[in-house]
Amino acid sequence: MAAQDLLTLNSRRRMVPHLAARWRHFRGADASLSERSAWAESLVHLAGDLVAAGRGNVEMIVECAATLDEADRPGDPRLIDVVLVGHHPEEGGLSVQLVELKRWSMVTRVERATAELVHVPGMGKKKHPALQLREYYAAFTGDRGPLHGLHFECGGFAYLHNATDASVRPLVDVDAPTGPYARVYTNDRREQLLSDLRKHFAEEGGASAAELLLQSMGLRNTPLLDAMIRSCGEDTVFTLRGRQKQVADEILDTASKILPDPHRPALVPDERRVIFLVTGGAGTGKSAIGLQLKAELESDGRTVKYASGSRAFNGAIQEHVGYGDREFKESFTYFSNFVTPPDPPLDVLICDEAHRLRERSTNRFWKPEQQGTKPQIDELLGASRLTVFFLDEGQCVRPNEVGTAELVEDAARRYGANLLRYELREQFRCGGSDAYIRWVRALLGVTDGEPEQWTPDGLMHVEVADSPEELERIIHTEALAGASARLVAGYCWPWTKPLGRERRLENDVRIGDWHRPWNADSDAFCENGVPPCKIWSVHENGLGQIGCVYTAQGLEWDWCGVIMGEDMVRRDGQWVFRRGKERKDPETGVKRVAVPGSFDPKVRAGSVDDEEFARLVRHAYHVLMTRASRATVLYSTDEETRSYLKGLVGEVQVHGLRPTWENLPAEARVPHLPRPRRGRRARRRGQNMGPQAPDLRLF
């Protein structure tokens, strides 16, 4: 965040807790007291100097790693104390300064002959900070660094705000290391620091520059559908990072060992079976890995299908990306389509959203002999040699969804298959804000612990609307300006199928005088061009309807407005969960709300006990609140709940971080792509891929 915002955060005593929470998430341990006190002292010093220099809009990225991919360096990632980001006042391009903050007040030389090691009283031998900065500089500006390919000015400096020149002479003497990263400032040199900050950074443009760097670091990523459209749904288009890349490489390596060469079949086939289980929360890149695997395996001549339990996800891919391409559309399918196994078996079956697996493959339109007779997971395992499951148990939203890690493990034992497990942690959805994901989970009670007040982090924005009219105005304003945006809600109103020959939608979602329809419960277009449910999330005419968890799961938008209904309300310091009851309108015969609460027919059923009911409602809102990549706007129909949310979120724009389309820097206003024209694309499986597709990134 900007230096001036960091000072505001610190004045409210929220900066250190915020940084400590992020540290624990990424490092898996609590930050030490010395680390916390260093943040409280040194970060505030640096931010204060930026403001004093008139550069309060320069962005500060704290405890920053050059890349998530540290495979070439075992152990902890290289973390630099602060990366300052802005625009150069003369060149106009990106300006970056890498900063090491030291609270040292005295330094002595270890040996007269070397400048590499110094002695810090009470701490012993330490590497010269300029040498640390040299490593960071190489990491940031090298071929794999976030500055590679950008027009930039980059340097670095060590800031010892507690020291004088005389007390740290070995750091500033004539034999000290030199280079663009080797400047050292002490308290004596503060005026020189302020002057140099003005030379390195323009007064404005910090947010725009930070946006460029975040995009380059993979934290601002091309949305799924845009990336797929640009790549025509094929080729190697996703830049996987860190753990994502490691998982994909290991799966591809195993596939090359187990599967026969399509051009030279083995005399003795390898009969081994392998199951891959990849777990991770929303936004950790499961779909990125899955789609990357599909593209690379197909290019090697393998037979691959990509299965899901989500109509919204598959529909969006098939209709928005594969419009008019039957071969491409047929490569995406559903879990229930393997009652009869393919002959011959597939080489690889990729199962995304595997938490949505059912006990059996059934359909009310199927004849009895067409229904599944064995566990659905057995049908999937029988369809291919290698099976990849991507699973997040926190996204099970219906009682008949049985997909768990334990289910996959049991199936692997029964089939005598080798099971390889992987876990993803890095966060790429919700602007890359792991803090926001943790906040949502604590708010809803998905995890233990009391929720804390939301701390703006510059990656995700949260606010609470006072009325449905205000919520709708915000979302529509952003959509009309160019952002992708949708309104979604908990399943708290009856859902009427399209009425009459004209297929008119009933305004089922009714809050006071504000009435809007659900997205169409239809596989065909309805009155006034309202899209069918499976492409509601991506069609331009979908903005006027309200989506639910089943039409939103697996997808994302820049802005998402979430209506919390009265299936989950706050009472006496805890969440209360309610099942709704309906009545028929005597004049129209349309169902209306008699008792507020959940109207999801599967979830509110009497066969679902209270504990399971509460779990499913929490999970549904968890899915809805993690669909946005820039901003989530909440509204509760219950006044007490709305007041509770407002207390946790705080005032809007407290830190000037509201990412409206107009406020976004030009670099961030990436237009979303329309559905491609009808027409079969040339497929290139097993052929020379030619030039690589653009370097596109996925959440």
Side-chain angles (χ1 to χ4, degrees):
M1 64 181 65
Q4 59 196 15
D5 296 327
L6 185 142
L7 291 178
T8 301
L9 207 59
N10 183 65
S11 69
R12 299 180 178 211
R13 299 184 179 182
R14 291 165 61 187
M15 181 192 74
V16 172
H18 170 62
L19 292 175
R22 292 180 69 83
W23 181 277
R24 178 168 182 77
H25 176 75
F26 284 110
R27 305 299 292 273
D30 289 328
S32 65
L33 289 176
S34 62
E35 195 74 48
R36 293 168 187 251
S37 61
W39 293 332
E41 182 180 351
S42 298
L43 286 177
V44 172
H45 263 284
L46 180 60
D49 288 340
L50 284 162
V51 171
R55 299 300 184 265
N57 284 321
V58 169
E59 296 285 326
M60 300 175 66
I61 305 177
V62 180
E63 301 290 357
C64 181
T67 174
L68 288 173
D69 187 358
E70 292 284 334
D72 59 340
R73 180 187 171 94
D76 290 336
R78 290 165 285 194
L79 297 178
I80 186 166
D81 291 339
V82 185
V83 178
L84 300 180
V85 189
H87 282 297
H88 196 275
E90 296 177 3
E91 303 294 331
L94 189 65
S95 183
V96 176
Q97 289 291 310
L98 312 174
V99 185
E100 270 294 296
L101 297 170
K102 304 294 187 185
R103 293 189 292 167
W104 305 343
S105 56
M106 181 176 291
V107 166
T108 58
R109 184 165 292 160
V110 173
E111 297 178 21
R112 296 296 301 175
T114 180
E116 294 185 0
L117 294 176
V118 294
H119 182 271
V120 181
M123 301 179 70
K125 294 180 182 179
K126 293 291 181 181
K127 184 186 290 189
H128 194 295
L131 300 182
Q132 290 180 270
L133 287 163
R134 182 170 65 190
E135 292 183 11
Y136 300 138
Y137 183 86
F140 269 82
T141 61
D143 291 344
R144 296 169 60 196
L147 295 177
H148 180 68
L150 299 176
H151 174 62
F152 66 89
E153 295 283 336
C154 183
F157 62 87
Y159 188 20
L160 289 78
H161 48 81
N162 290 332
T164 64
D165 283 359
S167 67
V168 294
R169 180 63 57 190
L171 299 183
V172 296
D173 226 340
V174 292
D175 61 348
T178 59
Y181 45 77
R183 299 187 311 280
V184 175
Y185 297 100
T186 66
N187 191 49
D188 289 345
R189 301 186 180 209
R190 183 173 181 270
E191 289 304 318
Q192 183 63 49
L193 171 61
L194 300 186
S195 175
D196 288 348
L197 289 172
R198 297 184 189 105
K199 292 177 183 178
H200 292 309
F201 297 107
E203 213 169 327
E204 300 294 337
S208 175
E211 187 69 33
L212 280 174
L213 190 61
L214 290 173
Q215 289 176 3
S216 185
M217 294 175 75
L219 290 175
R220 295 295 196 201
N221 297 291
T222 303
L224 167 68
L225 296 178
D226 287 354
M228 291 292 286
I229 290 171
R230 287 177 182 172
S231 68
C232 297
E234 56 191 36
D235 300 350
T236 302
V237 297
F238 303 122
T239 299
L240 304 181
R241 295 179 174 271
R243 183 66 169 160
Q244 292 179 336
K245 186 175 185 301
Q246 179 185 350
V247 169
D249 287 347
E250 290 188 16
I251 292 174
L252 290 170
D253 181 60
T254 302
S256 68
K257 295 173 182 176
I258 299 294
L259 297 176
D261 186 325
H263 306 295
R264 289 180 297 178
L267 294 176
V268 180
D270 191 333
E271 299 295 337
R272 288 177 294 172
R273 298 181 58 85
V274 180
I275 298 172
F276 302 94
L277 173 60
V278 184
T279 58
T284 49
K286 298 185 295 296
S287 295
I289 297 172
L291 293 166
Q292 178 78 21
L293 291 173
K294 178 178 182 291
E296 295 204 19
L297 290 165
E298 285 179 336
S299 72
D300 287 340
R302 310 295 186 187
T303 55
V304 185
K305 286 210 171 184
Y306 197 101
S308 170
S310 168
R311 293 186 70 202
F313 180 86
N314 267 19
I317 292 288
Q318 291 177 330
E319 298 298 322
H320 201 68
V321 181
Y323 183 62
D325 185 341
R326 180 178 176 181
E327 184 181 358
F328 174 79
K329 291 171 70 171
E330 288 181 350
S331 70
F332 289 85
T333 186
Y334 298 97
F335 296 153
S336 59
N337 287 352
F338 295 95
V339 174
T340 301
D343 187 18
L346 301 168
D347 289 327
V348 182
L349 177 60
I350 300 170
C351 301
D352 203 353
E353 307 244 346
H355 42 271
R356 303 203 67 183
L357 284 168
R358 280 24 176 216
E359 290 183 2
R360 297 283 190 276
S361 296
T362 61
N363 189 305
R364 58 190 173 127
F365 299 111
W366 291 354
K367 297 176 181 178
E369 62 270 18
Q370 295 175 310
Q371 310 286 340
T373 58
K374 59 183 178 180
Q376 189 176 75
I377 191 170
D378 287 13
E379 295 170 355
L380 298 176
L381 293 178
S384 66
R385 288 284 310 285
L386 271 64
T387 315
V388 186
F389 292 99
F390 294 100
L391 188 148
D392 174 13
E393 293 184 20
Q395 292 196 58
C396 290
V397 295
R398 276 196 164 178
N400 61 346
E401 294 175 352
V402 299
T404 62
E406 184 180 4
L407 179 80
V408 177
E409 291 166 355
D410 288 344
R413 282 191 291 269
R414 285 189 284 105
Y415 272 75
N418 292 321
L419 177 66
L420 301 179
R421 288 197 60 165
Y422 307 93
E423 182 181 4
L424 302 173
R425 292 187 63 191
E426 293 104 346
Q427 173 57 234
F428 292 89
R429 188 175 282 163
C430 298
S433 175
D434 62 285
Y436 174 73
I437 297 292
R438 293 197 313 273
W439 182 81
V440 167
R441 292 173 70 83
L443 165 69
L444 298 174
V446 174
T447 54
D448 295 333
E450 286 297 314
E452 297 179 353
Q453 189 169 23
W454 165 244
T455 300
D457 63 355
L459 297 174
M460 267 297 288
H461 174 76
V462 190
E463 59 185 270
V464 180
D466 289 315
S467 67
E469 290 85 359
E470 180 188 7
L471 177 70
E472 183 178 55
R473 177 184 56 77
I474 293 170
I475 297 303
H476 280 220
T477 298
E478 294 308 311
L480 293 174
S484 59
R486 282 295 185 272
L487 281 170
V488 296
Y491 199 156
C492 297
W493 293 268
W495 202 316
T496 306
K497 288 185 176 294
L499 301 170
R501 295 183 60 183
E502 70 278 15
R503 304 183 64 79
R504 175 179 59 83
L505 297 190
E506 178 65 27
N507 288 324
D508 287 317
V509 181
R510 307 171 78 84
I511 307 171
D513 294 330
W514 186 83
H515 304 160
R516 294 293 181 271
W518 287 111
N519 62 256
D521 183 2
S522 169
D523 290 329
F525 279 87
C526 298
E527 186 181 43
N528 298 322
V530 171
C533 60
K534 64 182 179 180
I535 59 171
W536 165 85
S537 62
V538 294
H539 196 279
E540 59 184 3
N541 292 341
L543 189 62
Q545 305 95 50
I546 313 298
C548 81
V549 65
Y550 305 116
T551 43
Q553 198 165 22
L555 301 165
E556 67 172 334
W557 308 281
D558 295 329
W559 282 70
C560 186
V562 181
I563 300 173
M564 292 188 71
E566 299 198 35
D567 55 348
M568 183 172 178
V569 296
R570 197 73 180 177
R571 295 290 184 270
D572 299 323
Q574 60 184 5
W575 289 110
V576 174
F577 300 88
R578 298 168 166 174
R579 305 175 201 240
K581 293 183 179 180
E582 60 196 28
R583 62 176 177 82
K584 275 193 176 182
D585 185 292
E587 295 182 5
T588 64
V590 174
K591 294 178 180 178
R592 298 288 184 227
V593 174
V595 177
S598 172
F599 279 78
D600 188 324
K602 300 290 186 181
V603 172
R604 70 167 179 166
S607 58
V608 178
D609 64 36
D610 290 346
E611 183 177 350
E612 176 71 353
F613 173 70
R615 185 183 72 87
L616 295 171
V617 172
R618 291 182 201 270
H619 284 189
Y621 281 117
H622 176 254
V623 170
L624 295 178
M625 290 184 187
T626 53
R627 296 306 95 194
S629 61
R630 292 193 179 275
T632 299
V633 187
L634 302 173
Y635 171 77
S636 174
T637 58
D638 176 70
E639 184 176 354
E640 186 173 335
T641 306
R642 195 162 61 247
S643 177
Y644 172 70
L645 293 173
K646 290 179 77 71
L648 282 179
V649 171
E651 299 177 28
V652 178
Q653 294 179 287
V654 170
H655 305 295
L657 297 175
R658 191 167 190 257
T660 63
W661 194 259
E662 291 182 355
N663 289 345
L664 286 178
E667 293 83 356
R669 296 181 201 159
V670 180
H672 296 277
L673 299 178
R675 180 167 65 176
R677 294 181 180 179
R678 181 183 294 274
R680 178 184 171 89
R681 291 183 292 270
R683 306 296 292 175
R684 294 182 287 172
R685 291 183 184 141
Q687 301 176 17
N688 188 338
M689 301 300 287
Q692 289 295 303
D695 182 22
L696 299 175
R697 293 169 187 136
L698 186 66
F699 50 80

